[in-house]
Amino acid sequence: MSTVMDNFSWLYGKPSCQGRIKVEPEDFVVKENLGFEFAGVGEHFMVKIRKTGENTKYVVNELAKACGVKSRDVSWAGLKDRHAVTEQWLSVHLPGKPDPDLAQFVAEHPGVEVLETARHDKKLRPGDLAGNWFQLTLRDLDLADDVMARLEQVKLLGVPNYFGEQRFGHGGNNVIKARAWGNDEFRVRDKSKRSFYLSAARSWLFNMVLSERIEQQTVHTVVAGDLLETEEDDRGRLVESNPEQWQQAVDNGTASITAPMMGDNALPTTAQAEAFEMAIVEQEPLLLKLIRDNRMRHERRSLLLKPKQMVWQQDGDTVTVSFALPAGCFATAVVRELMVEQEQQEGHDANSDQ
């Protein structure tokens, strides 16, 4: 099956195995980890839901009706796939009001369960989460042993930290629209569409840089001018000289090489790394123009992603794997290194992050 992600390199080579994922919603389980405790009091009513085969925004609208508020009064930390079983928190702004009875809401929506409620003094905002835990079932694998071998590699060395196909829309439509917008072919006034197209533009450029570093076999190697992400320094460490001195930190996992989330300000990298990154992103002048015209601020993102708590088991031609990822990272980036999907699955949320 050909997808927009075929534009980007595989870390371990394109998988030989073909298989299927999301045959049933239960084959893709996601549990959200906010990473903080609720205050126990406050004007925000927090609802933990488990939804099966339902879109996050649809559930938000229905929960708003049940609580007697408008949809804009209900917020979330992250969108979750529709064709999956997902657990996440929603916050409902209910100042001065008691906790509503959600029995009727649950009765009318068999695909939604209320697992827990609480009170908090702040609303949830997109990105207000530490990460997600996934359990994925890969079925009908024609080379299951190859998947098992690749899982060992992924656990040891990680996967490319690509933005997944969801970010780019069906057939890469968000990137196509972003180029057209950058070429002044139309204006975008809708806030959600602006966000989709700008995010797609920046994500596409990041993926391009990452893909080329894989091609040039420098994805694990520190080069002069790289900006490294470290636990000690939120701003990152610039490799101004002697890259080999930093190589050990990258090898032992205390530092990671980053690539650009482009903005309108200058790259923080220098020397070889800066020249390399600019040569890649300048291949997409319309996306670069769009980002600069909209005054996006430059950020950095790690090249590689190492899943945590990674375990798996095989049952014939089926493999079940579970792992935890930080917020903003895609489970599909892991699956992509394991197998090639036999057919396009329906019901994916084109603009949802994992």
Side-chain angles (χ1 to χ4, degrees):
M1 182 186 72
S2 178
T3 75
V4 67
M5 293 299 292
D6 288 347
N7 288 278
F8 308 118
S9 303
W10 285 264
L11 185 57
Y12 308 108
K14 186 172 182 178
S16 302
C17 179
Q18 293 193 17
R20 302 173 68 197
I21 189 170
K22 295 188 178 182
V23 176
E24 302 292 341
E26 290 77 12
D27 291 349
F28 200 98
V29 177
V30 188
K31 296 183 180 181
E32 187 176 75
N33 173 25
L34 292 182
F36 61 88
E37 299 295 326
F38 296 131
V41 295
E43 57 188 39
H44 298 278
F45 177 55
M46 318 301 288
V47 185
K48 186 178 185 180
I49 63 166
R50 179 190 293 125
K51 60 183 185 65
T52 302
E54 296 289 4
N55 177 285
T56 299
K57 290 186 177 180
Y58 168 76
V59 175
V60 163
N61 292 336
E62 294 302 297
L63 181 62
K65 294 176 188 176
C67 294
V69 299
K70 296 183 178 179
S71 294
R72 66 171 178 262
D73 295 318
V74 183
S75 57
W76 58 88
L79 294 174
K80 299 291 186 286
D81 277 353
R82 175 183 178 183
H83 197 70
V85 177
T86 65
E87 294 182 9
Q88 69 181 118
W89 285 94
L90 303 174
S91 68
V92 186
H93 193 209
L94 290 175
K97 296 181 181 179
D99 294 357
D101 183 352
L102 298 179
Q104 187 65 28
F105 165 73
V106 172
E108 293 176 353
H109 300 88
V112 181
E113 303 169 65
V114 173
L115 304 179
E116 193 178 343
T117 62
R119 280 280 177 166
H120 194 45
D121 53 4
K122 295 182 178 67
K123 68 180 287 186
L124 286 178
R125 299 180 184 276
D128 283 351
L129 73 163
N132 296 288
W133 177 86
F134 299 87
Q135 179 177 286
L136 311 182
T137 303
L138 314 180
R139 299 187 183 275
D140 302 330
L141 302 172
D142 59 3
L143 290 172
D145 288 345
D146 183 62
V147 172
M148 298 296 284
R150 283 173 174 262
L151 282 165
E152 295 287 357
Q153 291 179 299
V154 168
K155 187 172 185 177
L156 180 64
L157 297 173
V159 298
N161 195 16
Y162 284 131
F163 288 94
E165 188 170 4
Q166 306 95 310
R167 178 60 58 94
F168 306 121
H170 182 68
N173 186 63
N174 288 348
V175 181
I176 295 169
K177 291 287 188 181
R179 291 191 188 107
W181 182 15
N183 199 35
D184 298 321
E185 294 176 23
F186 61 90
R187 293 182 179 181
V188 183
R189 294 185 174 86
D190 183 271
K191 286 186 177 180
S192 63
K193 288 185 178 180
R194 290 177 67 92
S195 176
F196 289 153
Y197 300 158
L198 287 168
S199 293
R202 299 176 82 204
S203 302
W204 188 263
L205 295 179
F206 172 88
N207 280 13
M208 287 177 63
V209 173
L210 170 52
S211 179
E212 189 59 28
R213 285 197 74 144
I214 294 173
E215 281 294 303
Q216 296 195 12
Q217 299 183 2
T218 59
V219 71
H220 296 289
T221 306
V222 181
V223 301
D226 263 333
L227 191 72
L228 305 184
E229 186 178 85
T230 68
E231 295 180 358
E232 295 80 17
D233 193 341
D234 293 339
R235 295 173 299 176
R237 291 289 184 92
L238 181 65
V239 181
E240 298 183 85
S241 60
N242 300 322
E244 60 277 1
Q245 292 183 357
W246 283 99
Q247 189 64 51
Q248 185 175 357
V250 170
D251 292 342
N252 65 27
T254 59
S256 57
I257 307 168
T258 66
M261 295 292 293
M262 293 300 296
D264 68 340
N265 44 332
L267 287 175
T269 47
T270 61
Q272 181 182 347
E274 180 188 18
F276 172 82
E277 291 173 357
M278 287 306 303
I280 301 302
V281 299
E282 286 176 345
Q283 296 173 23
E284 287 279 4
L286 296 179
L287 297 185
L288 206 53
K289 175 180 178 295
L290 177 67
I291 291 165
R292 290 169 172 167
D293 286 350
N294 282 272
R295 306 299 300 273
M296 303 294 289
R297 186 153 188 83
H298 183 279
E299 297 172 307
R300 304 295 292 186
R301 178 180 171 94
S302 295
L303 291 177
L304 296 176
L305 169 64
K306 265 199 174 182
K308 305 294 185 183
Q309 306 164 35
M310 192 172 189
V311 295
W312 58 85
Q313 62 182 26
Q314 180 183 2
D315 181 10
D317 64 357
T318 298
V319 171
T320 301
V321 56
S322 63
F323 50 84
L325 298 180
C329 297
F330 289 73
T332 50
V334 178
V335 176
R336 183 176 182 270
E337 291 289 333
L338 301 177
M339 70 171 206
V340 175
E341 288 190 56
Q342 291 179 350
E343 59 188 45
Q344 180 67 42
Q345 300 294 322
E346 297 181 358
H348 295 191
D349 288 339
N351 296 302
S352 70
D353 284 348
Q354 294 300 316

